[in-house]
Every structure is written in C-alpha cells, then in structure tokens.
Amino acid sequence: MDVFVVDDVNRLPLGRPWLTVLLDDYTRCVLGFCLSFEPPSRATVARCLRHAFLPKTDLREKYPDLKHDWAAHGVVAELCLDGGTEFHSEELEQICLELDIEQHFSPRKTPWFKGKVERFQGTLNRGVTVTTPGKTFGGILERDDYDPKKHAVLTMSVLMHLITRWIVDV
C-alpha cells in the first residue's frame, strides 16, 4: 500500500503494509484480500483465499457505516497466478487439489496477463490513500521533502476499515 501505518496504541510508525487481493476475472469483483506487514508469502495467499471463500456476514456489525453487504464468497474454480514465489508452494498446490481448483500461471515476463489486478491495486491505493497523511508517492521527485513516516497517522485497523468500505461501497 502507498501509505505508512502507525501502531494503534502508541502511534509509532510501523511501515507500509502489503495487500494481497483475489479478483474475479470476469466481473472484477473483489472476492477477498489480506492486509499484512508480512511480505507476499504462502501464508498471506492462504489468508486471502480464506477471506475470499468465507461469507463476510459480520461486516455491518464491525463497520456500521457500510451501506452495502459484501456478498461475494465461495470456492473458486480456477486461479490465475503470476510467477511470484508465494504462488509456487506445496501448500497452495495442496489447497487447490483438495478444493478442486485449477491453477494457471502466466508466462514469465508478461505483465499484461495481470493488468486487471495491477490496475485495481493502483485504483484502490489512489482511492484510499490519496489525501491521507503518511501517503507515499510514486517517486522521490514527487515526494520532494515530504517525510511519510513523520506525517503518518493512519492505523492498521482504520486502513482495514477504509479498504473494506472502498471495496463494498465504492
């Protein structure tokens, strides 16, 4: 994510969290995500899949300001993955085998095969963090002398709420 996050209790900067997301290729509906400080790994992929597969029935209780429900859930028929090491594991292969999910890997050095998810993550980043203090920028020239760590105010729990609200209501 393009924002520095601070600790919920003592407000110390924690860093930039990673977002793993599962999109439906046809509808571009977000099926699930995992927000974590852990770099992409088998564990973050598994948490993302779990979030996608399970019903999200408690969201209105957790976030009362949501206007809509997040009805998307269920086991997918196939996964289209890139060459990231987090997608090449025995654990993911076993999950897919047990749940009868086909795995398809995009060829190496073909970024156009993952354009939808890349575009989504860019749009989400702009939608959620564009005016947030602690926002990082596309490059050092764009950032100038702005220090995102110094200006960070967003907590992980608030970022999770913002992402959920953006996915469900926007």
Side-chain angles (χ1 to χ4, degrees), residues 13-157:
L14 296 173
R16 290 175 58 185
W18 293 87
L19 180 68
T20 303
V21 66
L22 180 63
L23 293 181
D24 178 73
D25 184 53
Y26 182 72
T27 64
R28 296 191 186 180
C29 174
V30 180
L31 302 176
F33 72 91
C34 172
L35 185 69
S36 169
F37 285 109
E38 182 180 348
S41 68
R42 300 179 305 230
T44 59
V45 171
R47 286 195 296 270
C48 180
L49 288 172
R50 182 177 190 275
H51 188 246
F53 295 170
L54 295 176
K56 296 146 191 77
T57 55
D58 64 339
L59 286 182
R60 291 266 185 113
E61 294 163 18
K62 193 172 183 178
Y63 307 122
D65 63 326
L66 292 181
K67 295 180 181 100
H68 301 94
D69 292 320
W70 190 352
H73 72 278
V75 177
V76 298
E78 59 186 290
L79 287 174
C80 298
L81 309 158
D82 68 13
T85 56
E86 66 272 21
F87 302 123
H88 294 277
S89 70
E90 288 183 28
E91 290 91 345
L92 181 58
E93 194 172 315
Q94 188 64 36
I95 290 169
C96 290
L97 187 63
E98 288 177 15
L99 297 174
D100 199 28
I101 301 171
E102 285 184 44
Q103 288 180 287
H104 302 281
F105 292 94
S106 57
R108 297 181 71 147
K109 299 182 181 179
T110 54
W112 53 89
F113 279 103
K114 58 181 187 170
K116 290 177 185 173
V117 75
E118 296 290 337
R119 169 68 65 105
F120 168 79
Q121 289 199 338
T123 303
L124 180 128
N125 260 314
R126 285 186 299 278
V128 171
T129 67
V130 72
T131 60
T132 305
K135 174 192 182 315
T136 60
F137 293 88
I140 198 159
L141 295 175
E142 192 179 344
R143 185 172 61 208
D144 198 25
D145 64 347
Y146 180 81
D147 182 6
K149 289 181 192 175
K150 182 177 156 189
H151 293 90
V153 296
L154 196 62
T155 64
M156 189 70 151
S157 58

